[in-house]
């Protein structure tokens, strides 16, 4: 079982008991604003069971559950996956992603978890580079990408057919292994 410890957090594999609180705290209009909006609860559980837990089993890494050490509260997820998408020029690359409940925003948790995830990507996984995806309106997300040392790669931006309007195009940030923690 994967467990990455930081000063305040534990990034760990998912359990069935994590799914209901994750959906309750993150399937909200505020959190899902840049992801197409909240889903019906049964649909919101599917990505955790069918994708996140599958990546955990098949790849040995995933968008790990973030647990706050002080009180064992589930704050959301952060971690790594292999980028997907028929129209994506970054399909096959290591991708970092995060989603935290709104009451955990602005406390540095996402950055702390993302640093640990990038350490894992460039350490045990020996990734040559890592990408991160968002939309141009999601300033908080790409702001964190820049704080992590990632660079906007407009040449890799693309249209993801799952997202339209202000959620399109998908913009890409990337960091090279050689640029991590210099």
């Amino acid at each position: 079982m994967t467990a990455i410890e930081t000063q305040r957090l534990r990034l760990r594999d998912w359990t069935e008991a994590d799914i209901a609180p994750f959906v309750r705290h993150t399937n909200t209009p505020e959190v899902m604003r840049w992801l197409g909006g909240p889903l019906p609860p049964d649909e919101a559980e599917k990505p955790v069971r069918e994708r996140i837990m599958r990546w955990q089993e098949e790849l040995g890494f995933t968008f790990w559950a973030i647990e706050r050490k002080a009180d064992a509260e589930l704050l959301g997820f952060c971690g790594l996956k292999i980028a997907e998408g028929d129209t994506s020029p970054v399909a096959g690359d290591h991708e970092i992603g995060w989603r935290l409940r709104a009451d955990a925003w602005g406390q540095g948790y996402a950055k702390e978890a993302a640093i640990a995830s990038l350490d894992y990507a460039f350490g045990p996984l020996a990734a040559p580079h890592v990408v991160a995806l968002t939309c141009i309106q999601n300033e908080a997300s790409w702001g964190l990408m820049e704080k992590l040392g990632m660079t906007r790669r407009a040449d890799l931006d693309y249209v993801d057919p799952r997202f339209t309007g202000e959620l399109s195009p998908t913009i890409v940030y990337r960091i090279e292994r050689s640029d991590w923690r210099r």
Side-chain angles (χ1 to χ4, degrees):
M1 183 163 183
T2 303
I4 300 170
E5 302 259 342
T6 70
Q7 182 179 353
R8 300 178 296 165
L9 307 173
R10 182 175 295 107
L11 282 66
R12 60 167 176 75
D13 289 343
W14 288 81
T15 67
E16 279 292 321
D18 295 323
I19 297 173
F22 175 75
V23 170
R24 183 173 57 256
H25 291 296
T26 66
N27 190 39
T28 65
E30 192 174 19
V31 173
M32 296 297 289
R33 178 178 182 192
W34 304 117
L35 297 167
L39 299 168
D42 59 323
E43 294 222 11
E45 291 179 2
K46 283 182 184 176
V48 177
R49 282 196 178 91
E50 295 176 5
R51 297 177 70 208
I52 292 174
M53 292 176 95
R54 178 176 48 87
W55 299 328
Q56 174 177 291
E57 193 170 310
E58 292 176 3
L59 302 174
F61 56 91
T62 193
F63 286 168
W64 293 292
I66 300 173
E67 180 181 286
R68 187 169 42 212
K69 288 175 165 181
D71 57 10
E73 277 291 310
L74 181 69
L75 301 181
F77 69 61
C78 184
L80 304 159
K81 71 177 193 91
I82 301 299
E84 304 166 303
D86 295 337
T87 62
S88 173
V90 297
D93 289 350
H94 287 88
E95 176 186 341
I96 188 170
W98 48 81
R99 184 185 316 166
L100 275 68
R101 54 198 260 183
D103 65 353
W105 293 355
Q107 299 176 55
Y109 294 129
K111 183 177 180 185
E112 188 173 328
I115 288 169
S117 296
L118 287 170
D119 282 345
Y120 192 87
F122 294 125
L125 297 181
H129 59 265
V130 175
V131 298
L133 312 175
T134 192
C135 63
I136 195 70
Q137 290 81 2
N138 191 348
E139 293 180 39
S141 191
W142 58 258
L144 176 54
M145 294 169 192
E146 290 178 357
K147 287 177 187 172
L148 294 168
M150 301 184 93
T151 303
R152 171 76 190 280
R153 290 290 306 269
D155 60 312
L156 298 174
D157 292 355
Y158 65 99
V159 174
D160 185 328
R162 297 174 300 164
F163 300 107
T164 60
E166 68 179 353
L167 302 180
S168 186
T170 296
I171 65 169
V172 179
Y173 275 75
R174 181 169 148 160
I175 188 167
E176 305 300 318
R177 172 195 255 293
S178 60
D179 293 330
W180 179 239
R181 301 275 192 142
R182 293 196 339 174

